[in-house]
Amino acid sequence: MSNDLTTSDVTPDVAPSVQRIEIAPGVLIPQIGLGVFQVPADEAQRVVEDGLAAGYRHIDTAAAYVNEEGVGAAVRASGLPREEVFITSKLRNGDQGHDSTRRAYAETCKRLGVDRLDLYLIHWPYPSKGLFEQSWQALQELEAEGAVRAVGVSNFLPEHLDAIARHGGRPPAVNQIELHPTFQQPEVAAASRALGSVVEAYSPLGQGADLTAGAVVDAATAHGASAAQVILAWHLARGHVVIPKSAKPERIAENLAAADLRLSAAEIDSITGLDSDERIGGDPATFALSQMR
Ligand code: NDP
């Protein structure tokens, strides 16, 4: 794919084989989205424009990524109707608390240049701060007011899910967690599903580290596909929403094309067998970065 696509090259609808999953009443999320963690602010517009041109209709950003302006600019530059592009952002740790959550949500919408988000997540439970239940309350209010289409959480362990479930109301639409072949967190995924939350896999490629695993390479060879496509097809077969990040136009397109790859049951089982319980990211039980505040 060339890097100089113009607005007229943007396809009018999501890549046809990408499924949409209902995460809240009437709210459908495309199962493959483009993640923009570690995409610098001055590259975000170009990267997201490449994604939209390739057919992505779901972008995953966060206040802490400091690139929301570029994401919003790309959506506008694409010429796509706002409702065609599913946008997720996340509450920065330092903004947790009831009133500060509401303020942070308004600021995120402003930076993105949108009236409301499709999905807003508490980025981390940050349990040492003791504010995630208040933050959840604020998210539920925003949803009830129609200020956001759906609300959810990220990095929530079963004890954090239990704590917010005690408040009643709708369950988190999603729990976005680190999940890739070598780190699958089956207990967290099961607890999320039991509550009614869709599992969204972040770092779905293990930030590239899982691409050389034997079971992945074998399936890639068998299908004439790339290792990244095999891993993403494994996620899709297991019902995860995935948000692979790439800043390279050819990889952005390659990752989306994983929607057309079907693995055999044996291949899926072999990849599931790679779990070694080694996380890449922070441990949600202790992760306490205020994320630049
Ligand atoms: P990923 O598993 O998506 O891996 C990204 C890495 O893989 C990059 O180095 C990228 O390099 C490389 N890559 C991407 N596609 C390919 C390919 N086809 N072939 C070879 N290499 C490839 O890791 P991330 O941690 O970025 O996770 C994805 C998204 O998940 C984030 O962008 C963010 O939206 C979200 N996330 C959420 C977190 C949370 O706390 N809620 C935490 C971490 C991530 P290159 O760019 O050079 O192509």
Side-chain angles (χ1 to χ4, degrees):
M1 187 186 132
S2 80
N3 196 8
D4 58 358
L5 291 170
T6 62
T7 303
S8 60
D9 296 316
V10 174
T11 49
D13 197 3
V14 68
S17 27
V18 176
Q19 304 291 313
R20 290 171 187 257
I21 296 180
E22 188 168 45
I23 54 168
V27 181
L28 300 174
I29 193 170
Q31 203 178 354
I32 305 181
L34 179 65
V36 295
F37 176 43
Q38 292 175 324
V39 175
D42 60 358
E43 277 185 51
Q45 180 170 350
R46 192 272 300 163
V47 167
V48 174
E49 283 187 22
D50 285 343
L52 296 172
Y56 287 77
R57 292 295 179 267
H58 166 189
I59 311 295
D60 184 271
T61 184
Y65 303 167
V66 201
N67 57 21
E68 289 171 314
E69 283 94 344
V71 171
V75 172
R76 286 189 295 283
S78 75
L80 288 163
R82 167 68 188 91
E83 60 275 15
E84 279 292 316
V85 186
F86 191 102
I87 304 177
T88 302
S89 193
K90 313 185 192 85
L91 175 70
R92 186 162 33 201
N93 283 348
D95 288 327
Q96 282 212 23
H98 179 272
D99 295 355
S100 46
T101 293
R102 294 186 63 102
R103 271 197 302 278
Y105 177 68
E107 286 162 11
T108 268
C109 288
K110 195 171 167 196
R111 283 191 293 270
L112 282 157
V114 298
D115 294 336
R116 62 176 187 166
L117 289 184
D118 299 287
L119 180 62
Y120 194 49
L121 308 180
I122 300 177
H123 204 148
W124 291 88
Y126 196 6
S128 58
K129 191 78 172 177
L131 292 174
F132 71 82
E133 291 175 65
Q134 279 187 34
S135 306
W136 178 244
Q137 177 68 37
L139 259 57
Q140 286 185 308
E141 288 169 16
L142 289 166
E143 185 189 33
E145 292 160 16
V148 58
R149 295 183 69 217
V151 293
V153 296
S154 178
N155 293 299
F156 271 42
L157 298 174
E159 64 258 35
H160 310 127
L161 293 171
D162 288 345
I164 59 171
R166 284 195 287 273
H167 290 256
R170 252 206 295 274
V174 306
N175 189 9
Q176 184 183 115
I177 57 173
E178 181 180 341
L179 203 174
H180 45 91
T182 57
F183 187 68
Q184 297 176 35
Q185 308 206 68
E187 305 78 15
V188 181
S192 305
R193 290 200 180 98
L195 205 60
S197 307
V198 168
V199 173
E200 197 175 356
Y202 81 63
S203 304
L205 306 173
Q207 294 189 343
D210 289 2
L211 294 170
T212 51
V216 171
V217 173
D218 289 350
T221 305
H223 289 273
S226 72
Q229 289 173 329
V230 165
I231 293 178
L232 295 170
W234 171 82
H235 281 288
L236 300 178
R238 295 181 54 92
H240 310 151
V241 173
V242 283
I243 44 173
K245 173 264 175 182
S246 179
K248 299 187 169 67
E250 61 284 358
R251 288 180 175 175
I252 288 172
E254 171 189 321
N255 293 345
L256 191 67
D260 295 319
L261 176 60
R262 298 282 174 277
L263 301 177
S264 70
E267 289 165 336
I268 292 169
D269 287 349
S270 309
I271 296 170
T272 303
L274 293 171
D275 196 2
S276 59
D277 203 24
E278 283 173 34
R279 68 168 79 247
I280 295 172
D283 182 344
T286 52
F287 186 83
L289 275 185
S290 67
Q291 300 172 314
M292 287 158 289
R293 278 223 183 151

